[in-house]
């Protein structure tokens, strides 16, 4: 019965929260003053904003809470990738002191998520890389996730492990690898990113189906990482796959937004209306 299928919560976009002087961020992140960005997102019909916070130790949730509230937005997720560039965060790091400090960063991300009523903390490139020893890195990453999943559970938050394509990282590229990694862990699921899964999986539709009930978050970009609608992904087919697995979270746009994020997010919203019906 189609009418019984859970609906997505809405659209969100990934916004970079960086300290002054950070320099350029990836062109898939929305940048600008938070007041302006949140007002623009609300104006474009977005219901959420995902915060990619470079430094969780120097982040004041109260400002973002107020701005999100006043614009009627939810914090769709807290993402963490920028901490790798700024602080060297790596949950798989072979140096115990670095791994411990990285766990502290993620503990802070979990606290921040709960303070902002967000249910999701993303484990993307801040998980770290193989460093020539993929087996060891995987074991250390698993140990880190075991520690963090208990904490996440106590805060009512879930960790979302994101398979990322092999040209960006060498640790956990596919949905299958991510499912193996998180097996048996509470409060830990998968983030499917339609761009990465187009590169790594038989298809992005199959990636959603394989992630199944363990899917807790969704990043959307087209096959070329441009806004949904500007590549070859069939978005109606993505929508069908999401309904089939019962996904009911946000679709968070993480696509090339330069030079003007408003235009790109408008194209994304128009394309993704099929997912929200
Ligand atoms: C992060 O969500 C992501 O998709 C990566 O490509 C960023 O490096
Ligand atoms: Mn992503």
């Amino acid at each position: 019965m189609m009418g019984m299928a859970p609906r997505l919560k809405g659209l969100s976009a990934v916004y970079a929260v960086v300290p002054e002087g950070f320099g350029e961020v990836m062109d898939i992140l929305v940048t600008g003053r938070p007041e302006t960005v949140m007002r623009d997102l609300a104006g474009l019909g977005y219901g959420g904003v995902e915060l990619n916070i470079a430094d969780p130790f120097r982040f004041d949730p109260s400002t973002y809470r107020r701005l999100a509230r006043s614009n009627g937005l939810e914090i769709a997720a807290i993402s963490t990738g920028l901490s790798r560039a700024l602080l060297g965060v790596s949950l798989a790091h072979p140096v115990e002191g670095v791994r411990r400090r990285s766990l502290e960063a993620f503990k802070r991300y979990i606290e921040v998520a709960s303070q902002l009523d967000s249910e999701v903390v993303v484990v993307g490139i801040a998980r770290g890389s193989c460093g020539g020893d993929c087996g060891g890195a995987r074991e250390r990453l698993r140990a880190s996730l075991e520690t963090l999943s208990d904490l996440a559970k106590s805060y009512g938050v879930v960790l979302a492990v994101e398979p990322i394509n092999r040209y960006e990282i060498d640790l956990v590229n596919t949905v299958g690898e991510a499912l193996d990694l998180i097996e048996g862990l509470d409060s830990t699921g998968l983030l499917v990113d339609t761009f990465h899964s187009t590169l790594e999986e038989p298809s992005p539709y199959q990636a959603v189906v394989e992630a199944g009930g363990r899917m807790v978050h969704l990043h959307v970009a087209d096959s070329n990482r441009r806004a949904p609608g500007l590549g070859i992904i069939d978005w109606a087919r993505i929508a069908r796959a999401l309904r089939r697995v019962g996904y009911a979270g946000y679709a968070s746009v993480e696509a090339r937004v330069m030079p003007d994020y408003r235009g790109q997010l408008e194209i994304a919203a128009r394309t993704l209306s099929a997912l929200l019906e």
Side-chain angles (χ1 to χ4, degrees), residues 108-130:
R108 185 68 199 131
Y109 281 125
I110 289 168
E111 281 170 17
V112 164
S114 98
Q115 286 162 359
L116 292 174
D117 297 323
S118 179
E119 288 163 15
V120 177
V121 172
V122 176
V123 181
I125 60 168
R127 61 173 161 274
S129 51
C130 285

Side-chain angles (χ1 to χ4, degrees), residues 60-272:
D60 174 18
S62 58
T63 309
Y64 286 84
R65 198 182 163 86
R66 179 177 51 76
L67 285 174
R69 280 230 171 127
S70 65
N71 286 291
L73 298 175
E74 282 190 319
I75 307 297
I78 299 297
S79 46
T80 57
L82 289 170
S83 71
R84 184 145 188 223
L86 186 70
L87 306 172
V89 170
S90 161
L91 293 174
H93 207 278
V95 175
E96 205 40 38
V98 176
R99 195 174 73 89
R100 222 175 306 120
R101 182 77 178 149
S102 302
L103 283 169
E104 288 306 317
F106 267 86
K107 285 178 187 168
R108 185 68 199 131
Y109 281 125
I110 289 168
E111 281 170 17
V112 164
S114 98
Q115 286 162 359
L116 292 174
D117 297 323
S118 179
E119 288 163 15
V120 177
V121 172
V122 176
V123 181
I125 60 168
R127 61 173 161 274
S129 51
C130 285
D133 172 19
C134 286
R138 191 191 173 283
E139 274 175 29
R140 291 187 292 273
L141 175 57
R142 168 74 191 198
S144 296
L145 292 175
E146 284 173 6
T147 303
L148 293 173
S149 73
D150 286 344
L151 189 77
K153 192 174 185 182
S154 71
Y155 277 90
V157 166
V158 295
L159 302 170
V161 176
E162 177 179 23
I164 291 178
N165 80 75
R166 76 193 82 162
Y167 307 108
E168 292 186 39
I169 203 165
D170 54 6
L171 186 60
V172 191
N173 304 122
T174 64
V175 167
E177 286 164 354
L179 286 172
D180 280 351
L181 177 73
I182 68 166
E183 200 188 327
L185 292 181
D186 277 341
S187 300
T188 307
L190 257 59
L191 187 178
V192 174
D193 180 315
T194 54
F195 169 71
H196 297 306
S197 55
T198 296
L199 294 179
E200 289 291 341
E201 313 286 347
S203 77
Y205 327 109
Q206 213 163 304
V208 168
V209 171
E210 189 183 354
R214 296 220 66 173
M215 186 173 161
V216 293
H217 195 48
L218 171 68
H219 280 168
V220 287
D222 220 311
S223 49
N224 45 17
R225 203 137 212 189
R226 296 178 69 197
L230 301 179
I232 59 170
I233 290 180
D234 177 346
W235 292 95
R237 220 172 142 189
I238 292 283
R240 284 198 296 278
L242 292 171
R243 279 191 214 106
R244 183 167 153 197
V245 302
Y247 178 73
Y250 276 94
S252 209
V253 178
E254 191 188 51
R256 292 187 69 187
V257 283
M258 305 296 190
D260 168 33
Y261 67 80
R262 295 167 199 82
Q264 300 307 304
L265 293 181
E266 195 177 345
I267 292 168
R270 217 178 308 131
T271 305
L272 296 171

